[in-house]
Amino acid sequence: MGRAQLGSWWAAGSIVCLLISAGVAAQSAAPVPVSRFDERGGGDQAVLMALHRQNQQAIVDAQIAQERATLGAVRDYATTIISNRAMSDATMMNYARTQGMNLGEIRLGAGAMANGALTRVDLVSAPAQQFDHDFATKMVNDHQAAIDQTQKAQALARAPGMAAMLQSIVPPLLQQQADAMALVAALPVPPSAALQLPGQPPGVSRTSTGADLRPALAP
């Protein structure tokens, strides 16, 4: 093999190496395409996790009302809440599935959020005579929170069709809140509980001691 042939092969190999190096450098310098949304674990999934938690809490509250409410109208409203919020939840979870989101993380994350059980202490411990009013009032406030969060989520949504999906679940929330407000207006307001000061036994007053009623001190 002559020196001329070896030289030509070496030159050709050098050119190939230079071309490969140039291609790698070009690929490294090219911008990495950024997805418009993160299907798994991104902000859209976090939003659906929070809304899923709200739906589940409303369903549990309504189940308590089915057992504790004294008026049929309140029990009927609770049944409507369970049906409508379950339908809303199914809409969101089906959407999450189509977008490749992690349904297990959504369910587990919603259950692990703080203060879930604490939001129901008032319903569980409310006296029977004021449960209906307390439940209806809670539904007014809880639905307002759900409406606010859903509308904020619409503005932040990045996944295709997510804003439209969230928009579709707002009207039922508004109707459920209006129904709760009508219940609050129709129900009698329970009497305010007597204020018991710390260190003051029940039935004992610090201002009315009875000393002025003693016969020896009577005018």
Side-chain angles (χ1 to χ4, degrees):
M1 182 179 296
R3 292 183 178 180
Q5 188 175 5
L6 286 174
S8 63
W9 285 1
W10 182 87
S14 298
I15 294 173
V16 171
C17 290
L18 288 174
L19 291 175
I20 294 175
S21 300
V24 171
Q27 290 180 357
S28 301
V32 178
V34 178
S35 175
R36 292 180 59 250
F37 61 97
D38 182 4
E39 297 89 341
R40 296 176 70 85
D44 291 330
Q45 179 171 304
V47 165
L48 294 183
M49 182 187 300
L51 296 177
H52 172 66
R53 174 179 181 260
Q54 286 184 335
N55 281 334
Q56 294 303 306
Q57 287 190 335
I59 290 172
V60 173
D61 289 346
Q63 289 172 339
I64 295 174
Q66 284 184 321
E67 296 178 0
R68 296 206 60 200
T70 58
L71 295 179
V74 177
R75 290 192 296 271
D76 291 343
Y77 174 74
T79 300
T80 301
I81 290 295
I82 294 172
S83 175
N84 290 350
R85 297 301 282 268
M87 187 179 302
S88 169
D89 210 51
T91 298
M92 291 193 301
M93 298 300 279
N94 287 336
Y95 173 82
R97 183 181 297 105
T98 62
Q99 295 301 317
M101 297 183 188
N102 193 321
L103 301 186
E105 285 186 4
I106 292 176
R107 295 190 178 98
L108 291 176
M113 287 181 176
N115 300 328
L118 293 180
T119 63
R120 294 185 288 276
V121 171
D122 52 348
L123 295 182
V124 174
S125 61
Q129 64 272 19
Q130 70 180 57
F131 176 87
D132 291 354
H133 185 273
D134 288 356
F135 170 69
T137 302
K138 188 174 190 297
M139 288 297 100
V140 173
N141 298 330
D142 288 359
H143 277 81
Q144 185 61 56
I147 292 166
D148 292 343
Q149 188 162 357
T150 303
Q151 291 176 336
K152 290 178 182 178
Q154 287 180 251
L156 300 175
R158 296 175 297 168
M162 182 167 173
M165 182 274 295
L166 293 174
Q167 177 60 37
S168 70
I169 67 178
V170 171
L173 290 174
L174 291 169
Q175 183 59 56
Q176 292 160 35
Q177 185 188 38
D179 294 342
M181 293 172 68
L183 280 177
V184 172
L187 293 170
V189 179
S192 301
L195 179 62
Q196 188 69 44
L197 297 176
Q200 179 174 317
V204 176
S205 173
R206 294 183 178 182
T207 57
S208 179
T209 63
D212 295 340
L213 301 179
R214 291 166 56 187
L217 300 179

